[in-house]
């Protein structure tokens, strides 16, 4: 079932190690198949280099395992909560990437103080509250934290990053950009107080990046 999506989700996990966003077995990715609504997710606690498409687990939106010999990711219920409450989201990524998680350990949002961050996130990367791992509590916090934000990703206090996207690849990109910006802002904070960008300029930068930058469809 869902052979192409299994392969895609498996290959995207290799991006997390390539970009140094995860250590050992931490982190996970899932993707929702828009046609069937089924979700492909990483098996729990398997080392990244041992992941293969056939080891991915397929679940329905209520968490019933439809295919897979291995236990699904510990964060499955939270990924599914996000999919049930965000019809626009078809990819979810979780990491403990270093700089972003340092902000999360302080319960601090990452302030939007570069044009690159304005482009990608349209404002700060917010930080939600604390939740234990294993149920859908994390998913609830992610949905609530992203509700009034342009950002596709958020931090979870004392935990790490949850990134979302219209596809799993877009969610991986958001996770990569979250860490990249967290590192830049952290360095800036060591040197002094970052210069703020006005809300109006952040909005203009975000608009240009979203609607004009790169190769737009139909051009
Ligand atoms: P899994 O290996 O079960 O996906 O857990 C990794 C993790 O980071 C839990 O938050």
């Amino acid at each position: 079932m869902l052979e192409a999506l299994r392969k895609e989700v498996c290959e995207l996990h290799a991006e997390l190690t390539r970009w140094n966003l995860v250590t050992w077995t931490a982190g996970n990715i899932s993707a929702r198949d828009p046609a069937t609504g089924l979700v492909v997710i990483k098996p729990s606690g398997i080392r990244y280099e041992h992941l293969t498409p056939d080891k991915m687990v397929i679940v329905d939106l209520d968490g019933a395992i439809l295919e897979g010999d291995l236990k699904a990711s510990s964060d499955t219920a939270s990924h599914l909560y996000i999919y049930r409450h965000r019809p626009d989201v078809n990819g979810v990524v979780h990491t403990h990437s270093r700089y972003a998680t340092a902000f999360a350990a302080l319960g601090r949002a990452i302030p939007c103080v570069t044009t690159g961050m304005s482009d990608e996130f349209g404002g700060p990367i917010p930080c939600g509250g604390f939740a234990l791992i294993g149920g859908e509590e994390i998913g609830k916090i992610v949905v609530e934290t992203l509700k009034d934000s342009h950002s596709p990703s958020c931090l979870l206090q004392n935990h790490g990053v949850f990134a979302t996207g219209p596809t799993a690849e877009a969610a991986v990109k958001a996770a990569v950009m979250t860490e990249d910006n967290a590192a830049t802002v952290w360095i800036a904070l060591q040197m002094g107080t970052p210069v703020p960008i006005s809300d109006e300029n952040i909005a203009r930068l975000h608009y240009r990046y979203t609607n004009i930058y790169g190769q737009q469809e139909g051009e």
Side-chain angles (χ1 to χ4, degrees):
M1 219 196 282
L2 303 178
E3 289 306 319
L5 200 60
R6 277 173 181 279
K7 184 168 179 287
E8 184 186 334
V9 172
C10 183
E11 286 172 0
L12 284 171
H13 278 92
E15 294 293 312
L16 299 188
T17 50
R18 190 160 86 87
W19 291 94
N20 272 320
L21 302 184
V22 291
T23 305
W24 209 252
T25 63
N28 41 64
I29 301 178
S30 73
R32 164 162 56 186
D33 173 43
T36 59
L38 300 179
V39 171
V40 177
I41 193 161
K42 180 193 140 194
S44 182
I46 303 289
R47 280 175 56 177
Y48 280 81
E49 55 272 43
H50 298 157
L51 290 175
T52 51
D54 60 297
K55 291 201 176 100
M56 299 297 135
V57 182
I58 301 182
V59 293
D60 69 17
L61 282 181
D62 298 317
I65 294 191
L66 304 184
E67 263 185 23
D69 300 327
L70 297 167
K71 199 166 87 183
S73 166
S74 334
D75 292 320
T76 301
S78 283
H79 285 236
L80 298 179
Y81 183 92
I82 297 168
Y83 290 128
R84 288 198 305 274
H85 291 81
R86 288 284 304 269
D88 58 315
V89 166
N90 289 311
V92 175
V93 175
H94 169 52
T95 78
H96 300 165
S97 64
R98 184 160 296 124
Y99 286 91
T101 302
F103 278 89
L106 300 175
R108 254 166 84 173
I110 305 171
C112 182
V113 289
T114 64
T115 57
M117 194 166 160
S118 309
D119 285 350
E120 204 68 50
F121 296 92
I125 298 171
C127 184
F130 178 82
L132 291 174
I133 299 165
E136 61 181 29
E137 202 52 42
I138 287 172
K140 282 186 189 166
I141 293 176
V142 171
V143 169
E144 185 59 28
T145 305
L146 293 180
K147 190 161 55 97
D148 299 316
S149 168
H150 292 293
S151 173
S153 70
C154 66
L155 309 178
L156 274 161
Q157 186 191 305
N158 304 108
H159 189 167
V161 176
F162 264 78
T164 65
T167 62
E169 188 187 19
V172 170
K173 180 188 174 196
V176 171
M177 295 297 182
T178 297
E179 181 60 7
D180 188 46
N181 283 287
T184 302
V185 174
W186 184 85
I187 293 167
L189 287 168
Q190 307 317 298
M191 295 191 295
T193 306
V195 180
I197 303 175
S198 71
D199 288 348
E200 191 199 331
N201 280 338
I202 290 174
R204 289 173 71 171
L205 287 159
H206 187 58
Y207 178 85
R208 185 203 71 91
Y209 184 71
T210 311
N211 297 291
I212 299 166
Y213 171 77
Q215 311 302 316
Q216 298 290 325
E217 252 171 60
E219 269 183 354

